């Protein structure tokens, strides 16, 4: 079904640039910071709600804070096609991660509305709460809330300032007490589709604006605490120390070796040494570990080896340790049926494309557990992401949104 309606590239770009102003640091080099439920995130949520209303969508915020803009179908009992992403960012992030998926979805659905085409299935544009996990250390909260994976424990998690998730929700005028009311059964959904920047260089190297995702790596996040003993840097001989920072350094290098050996990825992005004095031997160290692989079994081997190395290194250095698992999401594959829809649409639109795996994590990992899931990738400049220099061209964003529009027509037909 070739439909000649075009999404509005200029309008899409304007919304991207407007949203990008919210949480932007006056120093451009510091990018955008919209941590989940922060004042900046709340302002962005307000912007989004207004944009959805202006686009003539019916807006509803569920108990876990997911913002849902709905376009009714001709059969109100038909399962909904869900399309979305997130608008929270990492610390000093970029313009496109998440935002393009949400704003592109609004643009696509707005175009459907304007075209007057009647579709059987409702379409719900969703902006999921806290995809990134940058503030409370876990993420995918909105999609977990929607799929019924959330438990009360999540609300006791704390941010770096000691504020609990529950308190942050209340401060944001959201009360997650009825979080179970956010759950939607799989049979209420027909499919989930997400457009996202690639955050890698594959499309750029292949000179393609748009890609179709096949598999998504699943992340495991650990928080490791090492307890040695703080002591005098001058008066304590080297062989009488229990130095948490040296122990940490040794473990970090082991993580690199393990990730390379298994052809996965391993990252330590947050670390802290205490008490933190030039002339004090570090008594305590805390660090995060992010481990990913497209193959679950191999990832389990990676995780086991990391646990083993932490144990051996700590024993050797007489350091006590604790490991807390903060996130554990299985790698997943996109649905064959969704890949087929996207391939067909690209063919019809004469858009050259390719299939490729996805390194980053997305709400689609969670949504795939309850419904058919597919992802469209947009070329990223130099593959840079989670960084102020994150960039995708206006034309590429529009091409991907046209694919999204056309795919929605098929899925909601
Ligand atoms: C989110 O962007 C992640 O992959 O951690
Ligand atoms: Mn994202
Ligand atoms: Mn991200």
């Amino acid at each position: 079904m070739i439909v000649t309606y075009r999404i509005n590239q200029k309008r899409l770009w304007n919304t991207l640039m407007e949203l990008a102003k919210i949480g932007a640091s006056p120093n451009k080099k510091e990018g955008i910071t919209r941590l989940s439920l922060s004042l900046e995130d709340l302002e962005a949520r307000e912007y989004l709600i207004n944009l959805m209303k202006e686009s003539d969508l019916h807006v509803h915020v569920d108990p876990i804070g997911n913002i849902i803009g709905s376009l009714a179908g001709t059969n109100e009992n038909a399962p909904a096609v869900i399309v979305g992403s997130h608008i929270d960012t990492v610390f000093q992030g970029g313009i496109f991660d998440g935002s393009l998926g949400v704003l592109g979805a609004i643009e696509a659905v707005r175009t459907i509305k304007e075209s007057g085409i009647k579709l059987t299935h409702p379409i719900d544009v969703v902006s999921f709460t806290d995809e990134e996990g940058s503030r409370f250390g876990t993420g995918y909260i909105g999609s977990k809330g929607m799929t019924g994976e959330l438990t009360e424990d999540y609300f006791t998690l704390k941010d770096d300032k000691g504020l609990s998730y529950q308190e942050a929700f209340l401060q944001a005028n959201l009360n997650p007490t009825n979080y179970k009311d956010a759950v939607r059964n799989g049979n209420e959904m027909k499919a989930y589709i997400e457009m996202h920047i690639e955050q890698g260089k594959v499309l750029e190297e292949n000179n393609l604006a748009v890609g179709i995702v096949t598999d998504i790596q699943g992340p495991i996040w650990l928080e490791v605490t090492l307890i040695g003993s703080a002591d005098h840097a001058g008066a304590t001989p080297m062989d009488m120390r229990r130095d948490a920072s040296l122990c940490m350094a040794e473990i970090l290098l082991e993580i690199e070796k393990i990730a390379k050996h298994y052809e996965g990825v391993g990252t330590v992005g947050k670390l802290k040494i205490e008490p933190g004095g030039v002339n004090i031997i570090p008594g305590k160290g805390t660090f995060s570990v992010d481990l990913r692989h497209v193959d679950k079994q191999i990832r389990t081997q990676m995780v086991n080896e990391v646990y083993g190395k932490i144990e051996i290194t700590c024993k050797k250095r007489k350091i006590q340790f604790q490991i807390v698992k903060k996130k554990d999401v299985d790698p997943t594959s996109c649905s064959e049926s969704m890949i087929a829809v996207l391939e067909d649409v690209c063919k019809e639109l004469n858009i050259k494309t390719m299939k490729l795996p996805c390194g980053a994590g997305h709400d689609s990992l969670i949504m795939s557990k309850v419904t058919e899931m597919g992802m469209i990738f947009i070329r990223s400049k130099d593959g840079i992401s989670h960084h102020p220099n994150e960039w995708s061209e206006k034309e590429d964003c529009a091409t991907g949104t046209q694919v999204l529009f056309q795919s929605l027509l098929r899925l909601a037909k």
Side-chain angles (χ1 to χ4, degrees):
M1 175 183 39
I2 265 283
V3 174
T4 48
Y5 290 100
R6 307 291 306 174
I7 64 101
N8 185 328
Q9 172 175 309
K10 192 162 164 227
R11 187 168 63 188
L12 171 67
W13 193 252
N14 284 346
T15 59
L16 266 163
M17 294 307 125
E18 279 303 306
L19 184 56
K21 289 181 191 159
I22 306 175
S25 164
N27 177 355
K28 268 197 154 184
K29 285 194 186 133
E30 291 173 4
I32 301 170
T33 303
R34 282 196 307 260
L35 302 185
S36 181
L37 304 183
S38 62
L39 289 177
E40 295 77 15
D41 185 37
L42 298 187
E43 192 183 333
R45 294 167 65 87
E46 234 7 81
Y47 171 79
L48 205 68
I49 289 173
N50 286 332
L51 182 66
M52 283 177 169
K53 286 184 179 159
E54 198 185 291
S55 310
D56 214 8
L57 302 180
H58 176 265
V59 184
H60 159 72
V61 179
D62 76 11
I64 206 69
N66 292 320
I67 303 170
I68 305 169
S70 304
L71 175 71
T74 52
N75 177 357
E76 62 179 35
N77 297 319
V81 175
I82 318 283
V83 52
S85 196
H86 62 99
I87 58 166
D88 65 310
T89 72
V90 294
F91 179 66
Q92 299 189 348
I95 295 176
F96 300 87
D97 177 357
S99 298
L100 175 62
V102 177
L103 296 171
I106 295 176
E107 178 55 39
V109 174
R110 197 171 187 175
T111 308
I112 295 176
K113 190 122 203 185
E114 288 168 353
S115 68
I117 299 167
K118 293 283 172 244
L119 295 167
T120 312
H121 295 261
I123 300 178
D124 287 347
V125 178
V126 181
S127 177
F128 289 107
T129 300
D130 192 359
E131 188 269 353
E132 294 286 6
S134 298
R135 184 171 174 196
F136 294 96
T138 183
Y140 309 141
I141 292 299
S143 47
K144 285 189 171 180
M146 189 174 280
T147 56
E149 273 191 57
L150 221 52
T151 54
E152 267 158 36
D153 310 349
Y154 282 90
F155 303 119
T156 62
L157 293 171
K158 294 200 167 140
D159 69 5
D160 287 344
K161 296 197 177 100
L163 193 84
S164 76
Y165 222 143
Q166 171 79 11
E167 288 165 323
F169 268 109
L170 293 174
Q171 281 184 5
N173 277 332
L174 290 163
N175 184 353
T177 315
N178 301 327
Y179 70 95
K180 288 187 182 150
D181 292 345
V183 179
R184 294 171 73 164
N185 290 325
N187 58 15
E188 292 170 36
M189 302 178 207
K190 179 160 185 231
Y192 174 71
I193 184 162
E194 179 163 352
M195 173 170 70
H196 204 283
I197 51 165
E198 180 200 338
Q199 308 177 281
K201 293 184 188 162
V202 177
L203 291 175
E204 188 172 62
E205 278 176 6
N206 285 279
N207 206 14
L208 295 171
V210 171
I212 300 170
V213 177
T214 51
D215 309 278
I216 311 176
Q217 292 195 125
I220 282 205
W221 286 3
L222 309 175
E223 185 183 79
V224 184
T225 307
L226 306 176
I227 307 286
S229 82
D231 215 330
H232 197 290
T236 318
M238 292 308 283
D239 57 0
M240 289 190 187
R241 298 177 177 214
R242 293 171 57 226
D243 183 330
S245 99
L246 292 180
C247 183
M248 191 189 294
E250 204 172 322
I251 295 168
L252 263 47
L253 293 174
E254 292 296 341
I255 291 172
E256 184 190 28
K257 275 191 219 154
I258 293 166
K260 283 186 169 168
H261 174 78
Y262 286 103
E263 295 177 356
V265 284
T267 307
V268 174
K270 263 179 111 174
L271 42 84
K272 192 170 161 197
I273 290 294
E274 291 170 81
V278 183
N279 53 0
I280 311 172
I281 298 165
K284 184 175 174 189
T286 323
F287 61 98
S288 61
V289 186
D290 175 319
L291 295 167
R292 307 190 194 201
H293 203 284
V294 277
D295 183 310
K296 188 179 172 189
Q297 274 177 332
I298 300 179
R299 194 190 61 172
T300 305
Q301 275 173 283
M302 288 169 67
V303 173
N304 289 345
E305 279 200 28
V306 167
Y307 272 72
K309 286 294 176 194
I310 292 174
E311 196 176 338
I312 291 169
T313 315
C314 287
K315 199 164 172 201
K316 186 175 76 184
R317 293 182 171 273
K318 299 190 177 60
I319 301 280
Q320 291 172 318
F321 70 94
Q322 190 194 27
I323 307 174
V324 179
K325 200 179 267 181
K326 305 286 277 188
K327 167 141 95 184
D328 183 354
V329 180
D330 287 351
T332 195
S333 297
C334 296
S335 311
E336 288 299 330
S337 60
M338 296 293 278
I339 293 175
V341 167
L342 293 171
E343 281 183 313
D344 265 14
V345 165
C346 287
K347 207 164 157 198
E348 275 183 2
L349 292 172
N350 239 335
I351 294 169
K352 270 181 121 183
T353 187
M354 67 180 289
K355 295 200 267 185
L356 73 169
C358 165
H362 302 287
D363 290 302
S364 51
L365 283 166
I366 308 297
M367 295 300 285
S368 70
K369 297 181 192 181
V370 297
T371 190
E372 302 297 314
M373 180 277 288
M375 282 194 81
I376 303 167
F377 260 176
I378 308 304
R379 169 164 51 192
S380 291
K381 185 169 183 333
D382 300 325
I384 295 171
S385 184
H386 282 189
H387 187 277
N389 289 356
E390 184 176 274
W391 189 256
S392 290
E393 294 299 335
K394 190 193 284 185
E395 294 74 19
D396 291 357
C397 295
T399 304
T401 305
Q402 188 67 33
V403 173
L404 186 64
F405 163 73
Q406 212 82 27
S407 307
L408 288 172
L409 292 184
R410 285 182 174 232
L411 293 167
K413 192 164 66 154

